[in-house]
Structures are given as C-alpha cells and as structure tokens.
Amino acid sequence: MSRKITSFDSQPIMGKIIRIEDECEDTKNFFVEMPEKIEGVKAGQFVMLWIPVVDEYPIGVAGFKDEILELGIAKMGVGTEALFNKQIGERVGIRGFYGKPFKPLENVNHLLLGGGFGMTPLKLLINTLKSRNRGDKIHVFEGARTKNKLMYLDFLQNLHDKGEIKFHVCTDDGSWGYKGFPTVALEEVLQEDSQQSVIYVAGPERMMKVVFEIGKKYQNVKDMQMSLADRYMRCGFGLCSACTVDPTGWRICVDGPVFNKEQLEQITDFGEYIRLATGEKKRI
Amino acid sequence: MSLGTIVGNIKLRNPLILASGVLGSSYSVLQRIYEAGIGAVVTKSVGPVSREGNPNPSVFALKDINGAINSIGLANPGYKHFREEIKILLENNVKTIVSIFGGDVEEFSEVLVGLSDLPITAFELNLSCPNTEKEGMVLGTDPQIVRRIVENLRKKTKSPIWVKLTPNVTDILEIADAAIKGGCDALVAINTLKAMVIDIYSRYPILGFKRGGLSGAPIKPVGIRNIFDLYEQFGDKIPLVGVGGIAKWEDVFEYILAGASAVQIGTALGVAHPENKIRHIKNNIQKFMKNEGIENIANIIGGAHR
C-alpha cells in the first residue's frame, strides 16, 4: 500500500530498508524506499532519521531517485548502531528534506573537499554537477585516517578513470593515495589553475575552518560553501533553535546547514564553539 | 494609531511576545527575533542545573493540523551558564522575560535569586511543563504549592513575576486564584496540551519520551476559552497574557478581545523566515485597526465581554 504525499516535513514518514551495502569500515549505505511521490532533494540537504525507540538524528542525503533514499552512515553511537542492526524489510522514519543546499555557481571550477560522513552530501553534489553537464572541471579531494575509512572510493575512482572528475585522495598513514591532508592537493590545484573556483566542503568543522582559512588566501576562490550539519539538532525545521550559531542567531537546520563565504565570515562560532544538547557552548 | 500595550508595569511597543521554548535557546536567536520587531521575548526555561532533556525525537510538526508536538523535557544549560546570555540581551536593550523552572520552592528560589541582580523585564514561572517526570506538572496543578512558590519568590525580586498556567487541570481558575493570592504580576495562559502521536507502522509512540505537549493552531480555541474565563473572573485584578496557537493576525485580536493585554507566539514562528511572519502579522494588525477605526489596540482588551 502506498500513500501519495508531496512532502515529508511533518511527523516521520516510514520508509522501508530495501538494500544495505558495506561502504567502508564501520560505514554502510542504506537504501530506504519511501512512499511514492515526494519532492526531490538538493545536495547539502538532510533528513532526520528516526530509529523507533532509540533515537532520531540528522543525516546528509547521498541520493534520492525513484523514491529511494540513499544514506551513507558511519557507526558512531547508539543511534547509528541501532540502524546497523536493522535488516532489509524493516522500517525507519524520515523527516525532511531540510535545510539550504549547496548552490553551485556556473563557469567555475568546482572543488569538493570532504572527510568521513561529509562525503555523503558531496556524492549527491557530484551527481548534480555531472547532470548539469556544463563542462566545468570537477575536482574531488578526499582524506581519511586510513584506506579502509575512505568513503565512495570505487565510485570516485571510477568517475576519475572515465575523466568525469579529478579525484585527489590521501590518507594520514599513506595506505592509499598520498600521505597527508586533502588541503595539500587543494592548494596545488588552486595554484596551478587560475580559473575562478568554488570550494564546497562537508566534514568535521575544525577541518572546514582550516580549509576556509586556506581558501581566503586565493584570489581565484570565488566562493566557499560549507555544511555545518555536524551539529546537534532537535527539530530540524527551525522551531527549537538548539542548533543556533552566534552571533547571527542563524539556525543550522533552516538558515543552513550550507553557508557561503560571506555568511561563514560572520559566524564567530564557526570552527570554535558548538552547542550541546543542554544549550551550553563548548569549545570544539 | 498605537500598537503599544502595558502588562502590569511593563510597557511593550506592541502586544506580540515570543513564547518560551521556541527560538529561545541562545541570546543570538532571541536578539534576532526581537530585532524583527516583536514586543518582547521569553527565553527557553532555565533551571538550577544543566539538563540534556528527553531523547529525540523530541519535537516535530503535525502538518495536517498546523501544529507541533514536543517533549523537549526542559533541556537547558542551567542558570549560571545562561546568565551570561541574558546579560548580553539586556545590554542590547532586548525586553527579556526569563522563563524559570525548578523541582520545588528551593530550586525555583535558587534560580530566581541567582538572576535577580540583573534588570530582567520579568520572570515567567514555568509551573506547568508537561514533559518531565517530576518537575513542573505536579507543582502547577496544585493550588497550594503554586501559592507557596509565588509567595516565596515575590519577596526575592524587584522584577515582575508572571505565572504560566497549564490547561491540563480541571479548574484553571483555582490555580489562577492561588497564583494571584501569592502575589504574581500577570498570568500567562496556556501551556501545551497533553498529547501523543503513535506511528501505526512501527506501532510505537514517536516521541522519545512517548508523551508530549501539543502546540500550534489546534490549541487556539482552548487558549481563547481559558483567557475568556480568566478575564471574566480576574480581569479587574491582574493582566493576562494569551498564548496558544496564534498563527495569524486575526488570532491576536481574538486573544485581546477575550481579555489578553498581550499575546505570545511560539510554534508559528518555528519557520524558515520568522522575520517575515512577524512583519506580516504586524502589518495586518495595523491594516485591521485602520479599517475598524481602532486608535489604540489596548482599548479593545476584553472587548468580547459584553
């Protein structure tokens, strides 16, 4: 039985897990079939994922096609572990799609940089950019501690081999790609190619802050768009304000999670302070 | 034409106040909403110590009925921590009403005393949060406890004390009477209605705490009725602040006609662009006043009692 709905910005809509893939160490891709006809998602938006009786948390969307939602999830706590224990055919609740997406510019080089779970929205962004097919160069920079922690390795390597993207991969321990941080390759590209570029980043906030400072040094960086989705959220639709940043009072869930360079300059909390579930501010 | 109103001795530039629990977690968001043109803001309830609140899901929208359900469970950083954020608001001339809660008289007193050196616009006593096991509800439904708490706190601050009433009682007038006898300066009604949502596929209540409180448009007629009853009984004794389900400019007039000197808006501002919503409501209030020949909005308080 299917229900016809046009949006699931309401109570959780129950979707059925129809496929589970191992992605990399402690990370799986879950494919969740939603009731038919839901408006599409844009790269950078997220859903609130409800595991009945356990928890609900924000998750970036990796894909949504034919009403099947793709979520890439790393095991990080009780909530994600409960999801890992789910079998095909079981249901989870979805609210969303929430938040402001990445807004790719035109006639620029697209430089996508991610780490860990941050790769999830970037996967959707890559597919979005590819489908626009404007001939802009797409560079993807991925870093992880070690090879087994690299997300979407096959997907990205395959696109690289086909010449659709340039994939720059690195690990802290040198077990795959070059040894070091993705910012090294990012700076090389910025130095070698004077074409105007936009940097898109998702991942741990401290890393994003580093990339932000680097990006500011280069005149050919036209904009930087970064997702602060890795913060505590409750409602997801702008009511509770648990996710606000200072001093602007912007809520990550509706005013973000993706902010542009001009906005990030105004968020003094960026890379410095998060708010806990209690509302207390804590240094990152 | 004037949108100005007075609640006790508090002058407000207009009768719209941000309700507690919505957009109230940080100084920055409260300031943002005040700058959008609202008359005053109420903070999220703050208690003696930090609390994480209930597990998620703890709040979600009920789109079909234009409402929301929550069981946030008094998540807060504790008054010692939140004090710094209140200070910033007051320094920036934001009319700040601080919602406080405690498990008993002593805890209420600790929080109030710990903040009462600040020039706080008013304290709002959250005696009626339905989303915790022990605190709040037990206190707010017992007239003797309500009177004792208000009496105790009244002596300890110069700031006005507002008491927020729960509709989840047999007789709200009895609780209101106790709060007035205790010496409060205004009554705020209503808090959320006890509620629950069950997912029929997983067969579980959706909220992490299972039980919650309903807010938004569906509770407006309940709020109107309560304000009407309170005004009829106590209108000459104490100012009333109407809250519950205000989503449109018409709702503001409805509450004022029922007897509210000011209103609080919560759930309806939990949207992507709260600034637009506030502007829209204010503009339409002014249009209506012009069309109806209402010179001063305060003139029509309780206008439905005739």
Side-chain angles (χ1 to χ4, degrees):
Chain A
M1 191 177 68
S2 61
R3 290 172 292 168
K4 192 175 168 83
I5 46 179
T6 53
S7 156
F8 48 120
D9 174 12
S10 187
Q11 72 185 67
I13 301 293
M14 301 310 282
K16 198 180 271 182
I17 298 171
I18 56 163
R19 195 161 93 237
I20 302 171
E21 290 172 353
D22 287 323
E23 176 51 52
C24 60
E25 192 180 306
D26 288 335
T27 303
K28 292 185 184 198
N29 298 321
F30 291 84
F31 295 83
V32 180
E33 186 179 50
M34 300 305 298
E36 64 179 315
K37 287 298 150 223
I38 294 165
E39 280 171 47
V41 64
K42 291 189 172 131
Q45 290 189 298
F46 64 95
V47 294
M48 296 298 289
L49 173 68
W50 176 46
I51 316 298
V53 197
V54 182
D55 199 3
E56 183 187 47
Y57 43 88
I59 289 288
V61 178
F64 186 57
K65 211 179 147 200
D66 301 329
E67 314 312 325
I68 294 166
L69 193 61
E70 181 189 340
L71 306 169
I73 297 177
K75 203 193 279 186
M76 290 201 305
V78 181
T80 45
E81 199 157 316
L83 180 66
F84 273 48
N85 293 332
K86 292 268 175 218
Q87 308 292 319
I88 287 168
E90 287 193 79
R91 286 191 173 94
V92 291
I94 303 285
R95 294 193 290 126
F97 300 113
Y98 290 135
K100 294 220 163 49
F102 289 107
K103 294 185 181 107
L105 303 188
E106 301 195 8
N107 302 315
V108 292
N109 286 347
H110 303 285
L111 313 181
L112 287 63
L113 190 147
F117 55 85
M119 293 306 291
T120 312
L122 295 185
K123 181 178 181 185
L124 182 55
L125 182 58
I126 292 164
N127 284 329
T128 306
L129 291 169
K130 275 189 349 155
S131 67
R132 294 206 314 188
N133 197 20
R134 296 227 165 79
D136 297 338
K137 279 186 219 156
I138 304 170
H139 290 268
V140 178
F141 307 87
E142 182 180 14
R145 218 168 59 234
T146 184
K147 187 195 172 189
N148 296 341
K149 293 281 186 188
L150 288 163
M151 259 183 112
Y152 306 134
L153 190 52
D154 293 345
F155 167 75
L156 295 167
Q157 191 59 50
N158 186 30
L159 290 179
H160 176 87
D161 294 344
K162 286 197 286 184
E164 296 190 58
I165 65 165
K166 280 240 190 290
F167 181 39
H168 310 261
V169 58
C170 62
T171 46
D172 295 357
D173 64 0
S175 55
W176 195 257
Y178 68 88
K179 184 174 175 171
F181 298 115
T183 47
V184 176
L186 174 74
E187 286 207 72
E188 276 172 15
V189 171
L190 286 170
Q191 283 160 12
E192 283 163 16
D193 191 338
S194 60
Q195 164 75 6
Q196 291 281 295
S197 298
V198 175
I199 301 175
Y200 311 87
V201 196
E205 212 170 297
R206 280 181 73 159
M207 174 202 78
M208 288 197 287
K209 186 70 186 262
V210 171
V211 176
F212 190 69
E213 295 305 323
I214 290 171
K216 282 202 286 191
K217 296 191 301 188
Y218 291 89
Q219 299 228 316
N220 51 336
V221 174
K222 197 171 181 183
D223 193 17
M224 289 189 266
Q225 302 182 10
M226 304 197 177
S227 169
L228 308 194
D230 181 29
R231 281 175 171 248
Y232 181 76
M233 294 187 208
R234 261 184 207 285
C235 70
F237 59 95
L239 186 144
C240 75
S241 75
C243 62
T244 44
V245 286
D246 296 338
T248 55
W250 290 330
R251 298 150 295 172
I252 300 295
C253 65
V254 287
D255 300 305
V258 177
F259 294 99
N260 63 26
K261 182 169 177 247
E262 198 193 327
Q263 293 173 312
L264 290 163
E265 292 273 22
Q266 297 174 59
I267 303 172
T268 51
D269 279 356
F270 172 48
E272 303 288 336
Y273 290 95
I274 52 162
R275 271 183 200 272
L276 306 173
T278 61
E280 277 164 277
K281 277 177 82 162
K282 187 183 158 229
R283 204 162 248 293
I284 291 176
Chain B
M1 195 166 64
S2 169
L3 287 186
T5 186
I6 298 173
V7 180
N9 59 1
I10 304 167
K11 278 189 189 151
L12 300 174
R13 60 187 178 187
N14 65 60
L16 312 179
I17 301 172
L18 173 74
S20 181
V22 174
L23 301 176
S25 297
S26 70
Y27 81 87
S28 56
V29 73
L30 285 160
Q31 184 163 335
R32 174 181 163 184
I33 299 305
Y34 187 72
E35 284 168 1
I38 211 158
V41 294
V42 187
T43 67
K44 177 142 184 53
S45 296
V46 61
V49 291
S50 77
R51 284 172 66 108
E52 283 207 6
N54 292 325
N56 292 330
S58 55
V59 47
F60 54 89
L62 297 167
K63 205 168 210 174
D64 296 345
I65 58 171
N66 195 17
I69 187 167
N70 88 82
S71 62
I72 289 174
L74 299 170
N76 84 99
Y79 74 93
K80 285 177 190 156
H81 206 94
F82 201 62
R83 188 188 155 84
E84 298 309 311
E85 310 225 11
I86 296 169
K87 270 163 82 175
I88 298 173
L89 289 167
L90 296 170
E91 278 161 18
N92 292 328
N93 297 314
V94 176
K95 279 220 189 286
T96 308
I97 296 151
V98 179
S99 173
I100 63 170
F101 74 91
D104 51 32
V105 182
E106 286 71 33
E107 284 189 359
F108 263 105
S109 173
E110 182 192 340
V111 178
L112 179 120
V113 170
L115 297 171
S116 59
D117 60 312
L118 303 173
I120 286 166
T121 306
F123 285 101
E124 181 177 285
L125 309 188
N126 181 358
L127 291 159
S128 52
C129 176
N131 299 326
T132 51
E133 305 269 7
K134 290 196 189 89
E135 289 97 333
M137 205 58 190
V138 183
L139 306 179
T141 56
D142 183 329
Q144 286 179 337
I145 296 177
V146 169
R147 183 169 174 174
R148 202 162 70 230
I149 291 175
V150 179
E151 254 170 13
N152 182 293
L153 300 183
R154 185 55 285 171
K155 293 177 224 144
K156 293 176 175 163
T157 178
K158 289 193 189 104
S159 298
I161 293 179
W162 296 6
V163 172
K164 188 163 180 180
L165 301 171
T166 173
N168 302 316
V169 289
T170 311
D171 184 7
I172 198 168
L173 299 175
E174 190 188 12
I175 311 293
D177 186 50
I180 294 166
K181 285 184 174 138
C184 76
D185 301 279
L187 294 171
V188 184
I190 55 175
N191 209 321
T192 57
L193 265 69
K194 289 191 194 181
M196 180 183 271
V197 177
I198 294 171
D199 169 54
I200 61 168
Y201 296 94
S202 66
R203 304 178 185 180
Y204 287 113
I206 296 175
L207 288 170
F209 190 66
K210 297 192 177 91
R211 297 163 174 87
L214 180 66
S215 64
I219 74 166
K220 191 194 69 181
V222 182
I224 296 289
R225 162 72 190 265
N226 277 292
I227 288 292
F228 192 91
D229 288 351
L230 288 164
Y231 189 84
E232 195 173 78
Q233 191 81 13
F234 306 112
D236 54 342
K237 288 200 184 81
I238 196 152
L240 305 173
V241 177
V243 53
I246 293 177
K248 314 187 299 289
W249 63 268
E250 292 95 327
D251 305 335
V252 176
F253 284 105
E254 212 179 326
Y255 266 105
I256 290 173
L257 290 169
S261 297
V263 298
Q264 295 181 353
I265 312 179
T267 304
L269 296 180
V271 292
H273 303 289
E275 289 91 346
N276 295 353
K277 191 104 189 185
I278 292 167
R279 196 182 317 121
H280 180 81
I281 291 176
K282 270 173 64 181
N283 287 346
N284 282 292
I285 286 175
Q286 281 168 324
K287 258 189 222 164
F288 183 75
M289 286 172 68
K290 199 175 164 202
N291 291 343
E292 297 292 312
I294 301 165
E295 193 54 40
N296 191 331
I297 201 162
N299 289 347
I300 62 163
I301 295 167
H305 296 262
R306 50 184 179 152

